[in-house]
Amino acid sequence: MARVTVLGAAGGIGQPLSLLLKTCSLVSELNLYDLRNAPGVAADVSHVNTDCRVAGFEGPAELGRALRGADLVVIPAGVPRKPGMTRDDLFGINAGIVQSLVTAVAEHCPAARLLIISNPVNSTVPIAVETLKRLGKLNAARVFGVTTLDLVRAQSFLADALGRDAHRVADLASHVTVVGGHAGRTIVPLLADAQLRELQRRGLYDSYVHRVQFGGDEVVKAKAGAGSATLSMALAGFHFAELLLRSLAGEAVAPEPAFVYLPGLPGGADLARALAATEPVDYFAAPVRLAAGDAAAVDTAFVADLAPEQRALVDAALPELAASIRKGVDFVHAPKAR
Ligand code: ADP
């Protein structure tokens, strides 16, 4: 049974994510932290009829207590996207939030697994890793950027493209994965050959790829100033958290994509080498093998299997991804240059 802390629990993602975690039988204690309204959210969620204990913590003075003893810390804290903003526009605000929260994690629960949801993930994960490294507390097997929403969208949109009448999402799920990063063109959906050819035959492949890469914009636009994807993101974050908790409990789970620090993981250097045709990167979203709640290895096999169209998408992703990673690393190591 695991103790889970959500940082940013009163937000648009944090609230439904906290609710879902309350329904998870693998969670025994749920600590909900935010700068505002955390006790209210905790009181509400605590009434859900499951055994997990819920507590609310508000403001920096309570952050340490919220974190102490946590096995898993999920971070959706930050500011959301508004229309016309890219995930990178969030950098200036969310970078500092993630850095300060991760510093508190290093102090109060350094062994906890860390799931980073705050965008831009392509930069906030490097900020988390470099912050922990600086503090001498990095265990790269325990830091994950959550990219599951890209997978959720890739599966849903594949059913949309191929026809919901003829295809069930559950049947398509194993034929698609997503690698790369978690913003725009850095998101690379990878389809099994049959689905790739079928979309091409129908002239839908390019529009499918574009929709997976920019699907978040549909939500930002539709919400018209009221925020970005929160419900689907909460579900996706919960899926990854639950998978990790199942692994932590000793269950064997299938590899799942996540944005990880390659030099810190078995297989990571091989993957970096295989990808490095254009631009070397130290971070990449790839299928990760979990064991006992840790990232045990990164899968590299997918690189050799890439169709030329898919390799072209990876090559197009790498320069933007490398720039976002550099921005995160520089935030920690060269703050005066900002
Ligand atoms: P999203 O749609 O991404 O969830 P919101 O603005 O609805 O965006 O939620 C973000 C949450 O993060 C808010 O509840 C906000 O109070 C919280 N937050 C912002 N900064 C911090 C911080 N330093 N520590 C904890 N929570 C924070």
Side-chain angles (χ1 to χ4, degrees):
M1 294 294 273
R3 290 163 295 187
V4 179
T5 301
V6 180
L7 304 180
I13 296 166
Q15 290 200 33
L17 176 61
S18 300
L19 173 65
L20 290 165
L21 286 165
K22 173 71 165 100
T23 68
C24 178
S25 61
L26 296 166
V27 182
S28 55
E29 278 176 48
L30 185 57
N31 284 355
L32 305 183
Y33 171 81
D34 204 297
L35 296 178
R36 55 168 184 93
N37 199 28
V41 173
D44 192 353
V45 168
S46 75
H47 290 186
V48 171
N49 55 341
T50 61
D51 294 319
C52 156
R53 284 193 289 147
V54 182
F57 301 85
E58 193 164 81
E62 299 193 357
L63 179 55
R65 278 205 304 125
L67 288 172
R68 227 157 286 145
D71 301 299
L72 171 64
V73 178
V74 190
I75 309 186
V79 293
R81 277 202 294 163
K82 298 267 163 50
M85 281 173 89
T86 66
R87 288 192 181 89
D88 233 32
D89 292 331
L90 301 178
F91 180 86
I93 306 162
N94 288 0
I97 293 174
V98 168
Q99 188 180 35
S100 72
L101 292 175
V102 169
T103 301
V105 167
E107 185 184 345
H108 298 287
C109 53
R113 282 84 186 159
L114 210 53
L115 304 191
I116 309 281
I117 292 174
S118 313
N119 272 312
V121 159
N122 291 354
S123 303
T124 53
V125 171
I127 288 172
V129 165
E130 294 301 325
T131 299
L132 291 168
K133 217 193 266 182
R134 228 181 174 182
L135 296 168
K137 296 282 173 63
L138 175 65
N139 179 348
R142 297 192 171 174
V143 184
F144 304 87
V146 179
T147 58
T148 317
L149 180 55
D150 304 317
L151 189 63
V152 164
R153 287 188 179 133
Q155 294 170 351
S156 274
F157 298 167
L158 187 58
D160 283 344
L162 293 176
R164 295 258 176 183
D165 292 339
H167 296 275
R168 295 176 63 235
V169 175
D171 297 331
L172 293 172
S174 63
H175 300 297
V176 57
T177 191
V178 180
V179 300
H182 182 59
R185 291 207 320 156
T186 71
I187 300 169
V188 179
L190 299 182
L191 296 167
D193 209 50
Q195 283 70 33
L196 172 63
R197 300 297 158 221
E198 182 57 24
L199 285 185
Q200 285 179 329
R201 201 182 58 75
R202 299 187 194 191
L204 296 174
Y205 179 63
D206 291 346
S207 62
Y208 169 75
V209 169
H210 186 272
R211 192 170 182 215
V212 173
Q213 293 181 328
F214 296 94
D217 294 351
E218 292 179 15
V219 182
V220 171
K221 192 162 168 241
K223 289 194 175 179
S228 54
T230 53
L231 303 173
S232 49
M233 181 60 239
L235 186 276
F238 174 68
H239 272 332
F240 192 81
E242 191 188 32
L243 194 78
L244 194 122
L245 292 173
R246 282 167 48 203
S247 170
L248 188 59
E251 196 180 317
V253 299
E256 181 83 357
F259 189 69
V260 290
Y261 179 53
L262 298 180
L265 297 179
D270 294 338
L271 178 55
R273 214 171 301 119
L275 291 170
T278 50
E279 191 94 26
V281 289
D282 277 348
Y283 296 81
F284 201 77
V288 171
R289 290 178 192 279
L290 297 171
D294 289 345
V298 189
D299 256 359
T300 56
F302 74 90
V303 183
D305 296 338
L306 290 173
E309 303 84 335
Q310 306 196 128
R311 177 72 227 196
L313 292 176
V314 170
D315 287 340
L318 288 171
E320 183 181 328
L321 186 56
S324 299
I325 292 166
R326 206 173 309 119
K327 211 167 156 184
V329 172
D330 286 351
F331 181 84
V332 177
H333 292 291
K336 288 197 184 71
R338 297 206 298 279

